[in-house]
Amino acid sequence: MNGRERESDEKRERPRLRRDREHNETWQRLNLESGAKPADRQEAQLLRKEERRRKRKETAKRREDEIRGMDGEPPSLWLRVRIIFFMLLVMSALVVCWTAAFYLTHGLRWHISPLVRQLLNSVLGFVIFGVSISIISRFGRRKQTEFYQLVIDALKRISLGDFKVEIPDYGGGEHWGGIVKGINNMAADLNNLEHMRQEFISNVSHEIQSPLTSIGGFARVLREENLSPGQRDHYLNIIEEESVRLSRLSENMLRLASLDSDKHPFHAEPIRLDKQLQTLVLACEPQWQGKDLDMSVEFVPMTIDADQDLLSQVWVNLLHNAIKFTPEGGTVQVFLEESGQEAVVRVKDSGIGISAEDLEHIFERFFKADKSRTRSGGGSGLGLSIIQKIVQMHGGSVSVQSAPGEGTEMTVRLPKTADRADGP
């Protein structure tokens, strides 16, 4: 029986208890009145006995509920063993205290009757037991006070932004152990979150500082009067490229922030996925033809429910990555297959590949597998994060298989029926 059910039962019992109390008070008055009949007095006594019996049952039931706990489950075997052990410990302590009282009174050699001596031993034993418990409890309270102070200090440090907090195990039972574990887990999670925030700020600052440094440096060079027209055009092109890169970084960051907010518009509608992929592959024709890549496609006609605009960003990013990291004369393959109630899109290239160490981090924001943060590397490390977020919004998944020098294969699985899911 849980807390709500007990509260409901108590509410239903209140009217009956009120009626029983009123009946009991009425019969008590009848019993005290001088003209009350013997039958009335007998019925009043029966009512009082019934009231006392009901109170005993309620007390026993309340104690049983307290032992069972809020979830209404019977006490476990370990709890029963602990209760029995505690009772044996108390009885043993009382026996020791009574024994000590017996020897104390016996050593005084008082000439008193055996009954008085027995009563004196009993009272003195309880006094010794109470004093012992008082002394022992002082040490327990001191330890408990130290634990409270540890918890308060830890919470103060967390409130001030210091998340490197770890409270040692108090050993005060599973309740206190749960509190210690909860605070330690909270501090660890907040510490990881703070580390991610600082890393994010560092990455953003680096990505913004690089194009700004280039723009500022080449702008100063343009102030020189002895530059040839060709050099001037070259520096202006670099400034323009860096400006575009900075704009793209800002756009990707805003897009990710919008996707993370769960307020980004999501309009699912039936779309021909094979037609969408075909259109985007043709739109990238200048890029893959410029590098003399062998582009091959194999599409199965398929219709799925999805947000067309969001999904197009996934395919564009995958195609651009495959083209960018594939050397001239390489191959890029795009497949659309059907697997049960899922659409499977695979983009495979013969590019430089990704190491096993980097595969674990490629979906992290601002992560770059080539470890170079130069203009020639291109990109900001946000493309795959955007891909993963959009695919998760559609209820799908994205995975990667790659090895250095063996190319990369990106696989996207999407349900045919629209089922928006919140990403992590």
Side-chain angles (χ1 to χ4, degrees), residues 285-298:
E285 184 176 1
Q287 286 81 19
W288 52 266
Q289 279 193 350
K291 297 182 68 173
D292 194 22
L293 300 180
D294 182 14
M295 176 69 71
S296 64
V297 298
E298 186 176 338

Side-chain angles (χ1 to χ4, degrees), residues 54-66:
R54 183 184 57 79
K55 288 183 178 180
R56 286 195 297 268
K57 289 183 179 180
E58 289 181 354
T59 303
K61 183 176 180 301
R62 184 168 60 253
R63 290 177 179 175
E64 182 181 358
D65 291 340
E66 291 175 354

Side-chain angles (χ1 to χ4, degrees), residues 371-383:
K371 301 295 188 298
S372 63
R373 293 180 178 269
T374 60
R375 288 187 304 107
S376 60
S380 59
L382 295 176

Side-chain angles (χ1 to χ4, degrees), residues 210-222 239:
S210 179
L212 287 179
T213 301
S214 299
I215 292 173
F218 288 110
R220 284 192 298 270
V221 173
L222 288 175
I239 292 176

Side-chain angles (χ1 to χ4, degrees), residues 322-339:
I323 295 171
K324 179 169 61 175
F325 295 108
T326 301
E328 294 187 3
T331 60
V332 176
Q333 299 173 297
V334 185
F335 302 94
L336 172 60
E337 303 168 342
E338 185 176 6
S339 176

